[in-house]
Amino acid sequence: MPALLDVSNLSIHFGGVKAVQDVSFSIDAGIVYSVIGPNGAGKTTLFNLITGVYKPTAGEIRLDGESIGGKSPDELARRGVARTFQNLQICMNMSAIENVMVGAHLRLDRNLIKAALRLPGLTRRDAELREEAFELMRFVGLEKYRDARADSMPYGALKRLEIARALAMKPRLIFLDEPAAGLNPKETIEVDHLVRKVADSGITVVLVEHDMKMVMNLSDRILVLDYGKKLAEGTGEEVRRNPDVIAAYLGAHA
Amino acid sequence: MLAQLLQFLFSGLTVGATYALAALGFTLIYNASNVINFAQGEFIMLGGMLAVFFTQAGLPLPAALALAILVPAVVGILIEKLAIEPVKGAETVTLIIITIGASLVIRGLVQVFLGKNTHSLPAFSGDTPIEILGATLMPQSLWVMGVTAIVVVVLWYFFNRTLTGKAMLATSYNRLAAELVGINTNGVLFMSFAMSAALGALGGILITPITLTSYDVGIMLGLKGFVAAVLGGLGNGLGAVVGGLLVGILEAMGAGYLSSAYKDPIPFVLILFILFFMPRGLFGAKVTDRV
Amino acid sequence: MQKRAYFGLYILIAVLAVLPFVLPNSFYLDLAIRMAINAIIVLGLNLLIGFAGQISLGHAGFLGLGAYASAVLPTHFGWHPVLAMIAGAVATGILAALVARPIFKLKGNYLAMATLGLGIIINIAVRNEAQWTGGPDGMPVPAFGLAGFELSSDKQWYWVVAALLAVSVWASLNLIDSPFGRALRALHGSEVASRVVGVDVVRYKVAIFVMSAVFASLMGSVTAHYVGFVTPNLADFFHSIELVTMVVIGGMASVYGSVIGAVLLTALPQALATFEGWETVAFGAILMICMIFLPKGLVPTLASKFGKAE
């Protein structure tokens, strides 16, 4: 069976800065795959490349065998690719539940005229969606924010709201960019469980995270980046033993 | 043929120099605060009108001109202190409305106190035209171009060689970082408004002997200065100067060769094309959003 | 929450229904009609500026296109006013769509520049083509009629415009609480987030820009027929600014704010007329003070003060 996501020789340059350089890896369906590395290693840039926010300078990205490199984010969304952001990207001008509902954008009738006339079919579907969105909020543990405005919610809750929004897309593949960053230990454990639940629901998870306990605990496979290059790849145990990884993390030049 | 071309070029460069000064004014304020100051045109008008007023009041020309630059600079500072600093970080639309409000207040006050008439100022060194290859050049045009050139050189020196200038540049690149290294960014904002008001007023004074002035000339001059700034790439000083001259020249050529009735829209047609094909203007930097 | 949003609509309808019976004279009726016309334009513009977060400084240009279509086509070519109105709206829609795609790749201040330029070009064209438009002096507009019935008295105009306003408020409320409206608000809140959930942001920005331009054009036609005369001032930069000001003062991203903003700013020049000569100063000062002290606009500021969601 071919891999769900196959990345080969991917590179992007910003002026003279080679943020991601010649990176190759592949991700099988149904696993939790983590990308780790020191700050500035190119992890978020890699996410931006695969989710279409940046266009690669060179290399190829295949989803289910189809080349998707350079496609726009909305085209990738259509193919079931979802993501969250390291720096929160919540729409503060909307309510919490509306943020989740936006995730279902592509599954809805987006006709302007029908919307303006409030046709019954559309309203009914919208009411159903509201329930669906609330279910997702319950799934990520935000049920008490049903009627909250996004700008009134605490940081930790917004991190999970982003996950709920991504799940509303009914994705096959979800990229979580530091879901536990800035959270306290208790919240981190909750997010750990949440990611597990997401993976168990059959969605392939790609994770960038600095919390090593969480990464080791959750990941089936791990990719290590350093200065935009692939340093190592393998299971948690393999990566942990890799001398290059140890050197990079301890700062020693082996 | 050549004489005619040269003639249009002269008038284009003359008015273009004024646009360049206005565009520099936009650039200064934009870099310090990300605000597009829609009152910029009123500084141009204010310079011209006040120069007329002070000379008519009997002041000697140099004193009148100095005051006609100083007063708009103070007005610029007032706008910054009273209307821009209190709303730091507001939405772009809000800031645009505030500066438009300021422009209406300035225009309204001039209309009340100096009237609605059109005024002129005597040329600084006479009206004897200079003949060049069959085209005529007014001495005042030389004043406009010469002073603008000096201003550009002085500004270049200021931003590249003096500490204050470098501090202003640093603030435009990264406000927070500038604050962290101890730059008084509010001071920078203050300086930018004073300087851009003075630049606008200077342009207004220089051009008045050629194009005349009245309380309502600021709108078009300001908007064309804005076009010039965007054309050059918003925030780029050199771009502002090139943009200003280019707008002036194209406008003069268009008026001469195509239709004088359609002189005014030429810069706006031009800017639409530029934005369609070079969305960052001629010299604007490419920005990548970080997420 | 959605139910409560429509409560204001019932109040509005009640006010509109009672108004003509309590207004003392035709001066106020005329003022009410112009308020309602502006309110409809501002509703469309607020969808663009307040909800989608995009600036337009050229909307008076679109208004002018509609107004002059209704003046020029019937006068010079004998077109039926309804046909002329539709032609104006279609032409505006096409023009807006043509320029919108490249424009909406731009952001903030560049967008302001592009729309401003477009408005100014339209205004100058109207001013210059005197053989068609009467130039700076303007031109008369024939009366509006449909199927043998002619709209002539202010009372008739009032009911037409009031009905249009009520329908527009209703449609706006519907729109913002729909998948389309959520996508618009989302791209304002976070463009990158809305892109990764599948929103084709340029398409949405173009759609709402074209829609608000067509609104403005149609209301330009209505204004032309109602006033019976058009001048280039209808399409000038200052009028574009007035419209944006109505949006911002009433409240960005607030349907009822649009109505309040239009009402206040239509009345303001009348109120300021007593200041003789100081109108411009007062108008400018009021703009600045409102924006400094109520940067979110009247309705959202008051709503959050009294703890009510709009």
Side-chain angles (χ1 to χ4, degrees):
Chain A
M1 199 181 86
L4 177 61
L5 186 77
D6 192 58
V7 173
S8 50
N9 307 104
L10 193 65
S11 302
I12 187 171
H13 304 166
F14 298 106
V17 183
K18 295 172 176 166
V20 169
Q21 217 180 331
D22 211 22
V23 171
S24 304
F25 59 94
S26 61
I27 301 176
D28 288 329
I31 69 166
V32 176
Y33 190 94
S34 288
V35 182
I36 63 171
N39 281 321
K43 303 181 298 290
T44 296
T45 309
L46 184 67
F47 270 26
N48 282 336
L49 283 168
I50 301 175
T51 55
V53 177
Y54 295 161
K55 297 210 183 310
T57 313
E60 187 143 35
I61 309 166
R62 288 180 177 280
L63 182 69
D64 256 348
E66 182 200 5
S67 174
I68 56 164
K71 284 211 188 312
S72 67
D74 58 287
E75 287 173 298
L76 290 168
R78 275 170 227 281
R79 289 168 174 77
V81 178
R83 76 172 282 188
T84 67
F85 297 87
Q86 182 186 352
N87 308 322
L88 279 181
Q89 293 290 340
I90 288 290
C91 302
M92 294 298 182
N93 55 340
M94 299 165 82
S95 69
I97 201 162
E98 282 175 329
N99 266 283
V100 181
M101 289 165 84
V102 166
H105 179 74
L106 288 172
R107 291 189 280 127
L108 300 171
D109 186 342
R110 306 177 295 273
N111 188 294
L112 190 160
I113 313 277
K114 283 191 201 163
L117 298 178
R118 207 176 180 77
L119 294 188
L122 204 75
T123 0
R124 209 176 317 118
R125 182 73 191 87
D126 232 38
E128 286 166 20
L129 174 66
R130 197 169 278 272
E131 281 315 304
E132 217 181 290
F134 181 59
E135 277 311 309
L136 283 172
M137 286 175 73
R138 198 199 302 274
F139 183 81
V140 301
L142 293 179
E143 55 273 14
K144 69 171 172 176
Y145 293 105
R146 179 175 188 135
D147 298 316
R149 294 171 49 92
D151 60 7
S152 69
M153 290 165 66
Y155 179 79
L158 292 174
K159 288 292 258 194
R160 275 184 279 172
L161 190 63
E162 280 213 338
I163 298 178
R165 178 176 64 197
L167 291 175
M169 296 169 69
K170 295 213 183 329
R172 293 195 290 167
L173 182 58
I174 188 169
F175 289 82
L176 302 174
D177 197 349
E178 299 198 19
L183 301 187
N184 66 34
K186 181 170 162 284
E187 290 172 321
T188 304
I189 292 171
E190 286 168 4
V191 166
D192 187 320
H193 292 325
L194 176 58
V195 175
R196 187 79 267 161
K197 269 196 330 188
V198 171
D200 288 346
S201 72
I203 301 170
T204 308
V205 177
V206 188
L207 182 68
V208 162
E209 187 47 62
H210 280 297
D211 186 300
M212 276 311 134
K213 218 170 106 200
M214 183 170 162
V215 169
M216 289 301 166
N217 190 8
L218 286 169
S219 315
D220 297 303
R221 289 186 79 78
I222 297 172
L223 169 72
V224 189
L225 291 182
D226 194 24
Y227 293 109
K229 286 187 195 152
K230 174 168 153 182
L231 195 65
E233 206 237 358
T235 63
E237 202 49 38
E238 286 163 6
V239 163
R240 209 200 309 247
R241 291 211 198 108
N242 186 308
D244 292 338
V245 176
I246 296 168
Y249 268 81
L250 299 179
H253 289 280
Chain B
M1 263 312 283
L2 179 70
Q4 202 184 26
L5 180 74
L6 213 55
Q7 191 68 61
F8 295 149
L9 192 64
F10 287 157
S11 67
L13 282 172
T14 308
V15 64
T18 319
Y19 298 157
L21 290 176
L24 278 172
F26 275 110
T27 305
L28 278 170
I29 290 181
Y30 178 77
N31 280 344
S33 61
N34 268 321
V35 172
I36 294 294
N37 175 27
F38 275 85
Q40 188 64 31
E42 306 310 321
F43 295 139
I44 307 178
M45 177 274 289
L46 213 48
M49 287 298 281
L50 288 175
V52 171
F53 171 74
F54 287 127
T55 45
Q56 281 176 355
L59 286 178
L61 193 64
L65 299 191
L67 272 177
I69 293 173
L70 210 63
V71 174
V74 172
V75 173
I77 290 169
L78 282 177
I79 293 178
E80 191 274 320
K81 280 283 161 219
L82 299 178
I84 301 296
E85 246 189 65
V87 296
K88 229 185 267 169
E91 286 213 43
T92 312
V93 199
T94 307
L95 292 166
I96 287 177
I97 303 273
I98 288 178
T99 60
I100 287 171
S103 80
L104 290 175
V105 171
I106 297 174
R107 196 183 316 155
L109 287 173
V110 169
Q111 184 193 331
V112 170
F113 290 108
L114 302 179
K116 288 188 173 189
N117 294 334
T118 301
H119 299 275
S120 179
L121 205 60
F124 299 171
S125 28
D127 291 320
T128 325
I130 306 158
E131 290 256 355
I132 301 172
L133 297 172
T136 54
L137 182 64
M138 299 304 286
Q140 188 65 27
S141 289
L142 288 177
W143 272 101
V144 178
M145 292 184 242
V147 172
T148 305
I150 293 169
V151 166
V152 170
V153 172
V154 169
L155 279 181
W156 182 88
Y157 181 85
F158 176 72
F159 281 114
N160 289 290
R161 292 284 181 273
T162 71
L163 199 59
T164 320
K166 285 181 182 173
M168 287 177 77
L169 264 189
T171 306
S172 77
Y173 291 137
N174 189 331
R175 188 183 181 86
L176 187 65
E179 263 167 32
L180 288 176
V181 298
I183 293 171
N184 174 2
T185 53
N186 273 341
V188 167
L189 201 59
F190 179 94
M191 279 285 288
S192 336
F193 269 83
M195 280 171 67
S196 74
L199 284 178
L202 179 64
I205 295 168
L206 291 169
I207 200 80
T208 294
I210 301 174
T211 59
L212 312 183
T213 188
S214 65
Y215 78 102
D216 60 354
V217 296
I219 312 171
M220 258 307 158
L221 287 170
L223 291 180
K224 287 177 185 170
F226 183 23
V227 169
V230 174
L231 181 61
L234 208 46
N236 183 313
L238 176 71
V241 176
V242 175
L245 295 178
L246 216 56
V247 168
I249 291 169
L250 285 169
E251 192 182 288
M253 296 289 169
Y257 290 116
L258 298 173
S259 140
S260 61
Y262 279 97
K263 172 173 83 76
D264 278 335
I266 287 170
F268 300 101
V269 174
L270 175 73
I271 197 66
L272 280 178
F273 271 98
I274 291 286
L275 290 179
F276 287 174
F277 298 111
M278 311 174 73
R280 300 266 159 213
L282 295 174
F283 303 101
K286 190 177 183 303
V287 181
T288 307
D289 289 336
R290 279 185 71 98
V291 292
Chain C
M1 179 198 120
Q2 302 115 291
K3 286 276 149 17
R4 195 156 54 170
Y6 288 87
F7 186 63
L9 176 61
Y10 306 136
I11 297 176
L12 177 73
I13 291 173
V15 170
L16 287 172
V18 175
L19 211 53
F21 303 105
V22 296
L23 289 176
N25 54 42
S26 60
F27 170 81
Y28 287 100
L29 191 64
D30 168 66
L31 192 61
I33 294 170
R34 286 188 292 118
M35 284 173 175
I37 291 176
N38 281 335
I40 298 171
I41 301 168
V42 174
L43 278 169
L45 195 56
N46 207 344
L47 288 173
L48 178 74
I49 297 179
F51 288 98
Q54 311 298 314
I55 307 173
S56 169
L57 296 182
H59 252 56
F62 299 129
L63 185 84
L65 278 183
Y68 274 91
S70 287
V72 173
L73 295 176
T75 307
H76 293 292
F77 302 95
W79 287 36
H80 191 279
V82 176
L83 213 58
M85 184 187 260
I86 293 171
V90 170
T92 304
I94 292 173
L95 177 71
L98 277 181
V99 296
R101 263 203 106 76
I103 281 185
F104 280 113
K105 294 198 177 125
L106 311 173
K107 277 186 188 162
N109 292 312
Y110 287 92
L111 189 60
M113 177 77 257
T115 50
L116 181 157
L118 188 64
I120 287 184
I121 293 167
I122 294 172
N123 183 30
I124 296 177
V126 167
R127 238 172 244 280
N128 280 338
E129 297 304 319
Q131 74 275 30
W132 300 111
T133 62
D137 299 331
M139 68 183 289
V141 185
F144 187 83
L146 186 60
F149 175 79
E150 193 166 283
L151 264 179
S152 49
S153 80
D154 277 12
K155 271 264 157 66
Q156 290 166 344
W157 273 107
Y158 176 83
W159 290 117
V160 169
V161 172
L164 284 177
L165 175 59
V167 171
S168 305
V169 168
W170 177 72
S172 301
L173 290 170
N174 293 345
L175 198 62
I176 56 171
D177 189 33
S178 74
F180 182 94
R182 277 195 302 271
L184 273 188
R185 287 147 68 206
L187 69 87
H188 184 192
S190 165
E191 189 158 325
V192 65
S194 49
R195 284 169 68 203
V196 300
V197 297
V199 179
D200 181 346
V201 292
V202 174
R203 216 181 103 200
Y204 277 81
K205 290 177 188 175
V206 170
I208 201 64
F209 182 69
V210 170
M211 198 192 93
S212 68
V214 168
F215 253 61
S217 169
L218 287 172
M219 294 323 288
S221 294
V222 170
T223 309
H225 284 297
Y226 166 64
V227 179
F229 203 84
V230 286
T231 67
N233 291 348
L234 208 57
D236 71 9
F237 174 60
F238 185 69
H239 195 200
S240 288
I241 296 307
E242 258 184 324
L243 294 173
V244 175
T245 307
M246 290 177 190
V247 170
V248 182
I249 295 225
M252 291 206 275
S254 163
V255 170
Y256 299 112
S258 309
V259 179
I260 304 278
V263 166
L264 289 179
L265 263 103
T266 314
L268 191 59
Q270 311 292 337
L272 293 181
T274 50
F275 283 87
E276 249 182 289
W278 288 81
E279 299 98 331
T280 316
V281 181
F283 187 73
I286 289 171
L287 288 193
M288 292 174 75
I289 291 166
C290 279
M291 285 300 92
I292 293 167
F293 295 106
L294 303 168
K296 287 187 167 164
L298 277 171
V299 172
T301 308
L302 292 179
S304 68
K305 200 159 229 165
F306 295 107
K308 270 193 291 191
E310 192 214 347

